[in-house]
Amino acid sequence: MEDKRILYVSSEVVPYLAENEVSLMSYDVPKMINDQGGQIRIFMPRYGNINERRHQLHEVIRLSGMNLVVNDLDMPLIIKVASIPKERIQVYFIDNDEYFKRKATFTDEEGQMYPDNDERAIFFAKGVVETVKKLNWVPDIIHVHGWMASMLPVYMKHYYKNEALFANTKIVTSVYSQSFDGTLDPEMINKVKFDGIPDEAIPDLAVPDYENVIKTAVLHSDAVIIAAESLSASLTKYIESSGKPFLPFVPKDKFAEVYTNFYKSELL
């Protein structure tokens, strides 16, 4: 994987958030490619419960300052950056006071999902792509982890489909076990359609529960990795029948070689 460029876009990454299957793999996979001589970038949201002082985040003024439109509202984009100690890996943080200042990730102190999580996902997807454009850094592969990043494949295939920078970029989505109950805002489909994304591309967003959000990401990806040992039967069947190249679950002690071969055979 030497000199290949891989962009990792994740809902959660250690050491910035607590360990879970998404945050751990969102660290382990980039580290593995970095160790092989690949060029990587990691993007994640800058949630308010990330300790900026401890992790030495700082704003990148030259990348910040633009506004992104979400559901007809202008939202300022702030970009921060930090380095994972000892690994020489840069992590970019997508920030906005309205969406990410609250002191938690996805739910309030009662455990209720934030009502604007759908808009946060749209803002995150657009923020990542706009920042990569400003960096003028062309990824060979974009690897998506976690549902908060799930709108990125959709926007890449429609909203940004004419961007020459990404003409040869392939998208792979890792699918994890269910991480929220209920649905996101029922108006989510209309907020995505506001950006010119056609009805027929996002039928599952009519009911934006966890599985349908992930199905929408899978539909717009070039390849899929099953990253959870216990994935629901319906989601597994959807992936297997999608016609996309997919990688079945691989235990952590074996993933490095298997993921590398999957990248090479299916995406490069």
Side-chain angles (χ1 to χ4, degrees):
M1 297 300 293
E2 193 161 354
D3 294 331
K4 293 298 179 186
R5 293 182 169 192
I6 304 184
L7 172 64
Y8 292 91
V9 183
S10 180
S11 298
E12 307 164 78
V13 183
V14 294
Y16 304 105
L17 292 171
E19 293 185 2
N20 58 41
E21 62 179 10
V22 177
S23 65
L24 285 166
M25 288 304 284
S26 298
Y27 169 81
D28 288 337
V29 183
K31 180 184 183 307
M32 177 263 291
I33 295 299
N34 194 54
D35 290 346
Q36 293 177 13
Q39 298 181 42
I40 64 161
R41 299 283 188 276
I42 302 174
F43 278 75
M44 67 177 291
R46 205 294 296 181
Y47 306 104
N49 56 342
I50 294 173
N51 189 315
E52 292 201 14
R53 181 174 295 175
R54 183 194 310 149
H55 295 296
Q56 299 183 334
L57 273 67
H58 60 272
E59 185 176 349
V60 186
I61 303 298
R62 69 184 178 88
L63 297 176
S64 300
M66 74 175 88
N67 279 9
L68 305 179
V69 177
V70 178
N71 198 30
D72 208 19
L73 291 173
D74 275 359
M75 293 293 182
L77 173 64
I78 301 165
I79 305 298
K80 294 174 180 173
V81 71
S83 293
I84 296 178
K86 302 179 190 166
E87 298 299 339
R88 301 193 313 281
I89 294 175
Q90 274 200 320
V91 180
Y92 290 84
F93 295 83
I94 299 296
D95 198 3
N96 169 271
D97 284 349
E98 184 74 22
Y99 287 139
F100 295 113
K101 195 165 189 177
R102 61 201 74 161
K103 296 291 183 184
T105 50
F106 312 125
T107 59
D108 63 22
E109 50 206 25
E110 273 85 48
Q112 298 296 311
M113 291 278 283
Y114 290 122
D116 62 353
N117 273 340
D118 60 327
E119 294 183 15
R120 298 167 90 207
I122 293 167
F123 182 87
F124 181 49
K126 287 184 170 182
V128 169
V129 180
E130 294 295 347
T131 305
V132 173
K133 282 167 58 181
K134 272 199 170 183
L135 289 168
N136 200 30
W137 190 79
V138 185
D140 297 296
I141 295 169
I142 299 175
H143 192 162
V144 174
H145 298 260
W147 68 265
M148 182 66 86
S150 61
M151 288 299 99
L152 189 125
V154 180
Y155 276 77
M156 284 290 293
K157 297 296 186 184
H158 295 283
Y159 193 78
Y160 293 104
K161 66 182 178 183
N162 296 320
E163 288 286 348
L165 194 72
F166 305 112
N168 299 310
T169 300
K170 297 287 176 41
I171 301 171
V172 57
T173 292
S174 279
V175 178
Y176 295 88
S177 51
Q178 183 160 331
S179 54
F180 70 83
D181 297 319
T183 71
L184 303 180
D185 186 351
E187 283 297 306
M188 180 177 188
I189 190 169
N190 293 321
K191 296 172 189 178
V192 176
K193 281 160 60 176
F194 176 83
D195 288 319
I197 293 164
D199 277 2
E200 60 271 20
I202 49 172
D204 290 312
L205 291 185
V207 181
D209 60 15
Y210 177 78
E211 289 211 358
N212 284 340
V213 167
I214 297 303
K215 285 178 180 177
T216 303
V218 168
L219 180 64
H220 293 87
S221 299
D222 297 297
V224 183
I225 294 174
I226 296 177
E229 194 167 8
S230 55
L231 203 62
S232 73
S234 55
L235 207 44
T236 301
K237 184 178 178 183
Y238 181 84
I239 293 166
E240 290 174 349
S241 61
S242 67
K244 313 278 183 183
F246 76 92
L247 184 65
F249 177 74
V250 180
K252 187 171 178 178
D253 59 340
K254 298 188 175 74
F255 88 90
E257 184 181 358
V258 177
Y259 275 36
T260 303
N261 290 338
F262 187 70
Y263 281 161
K264 289 177 178 175
S265 63
E266 302 296 348
L267 298 159
L268 296 174

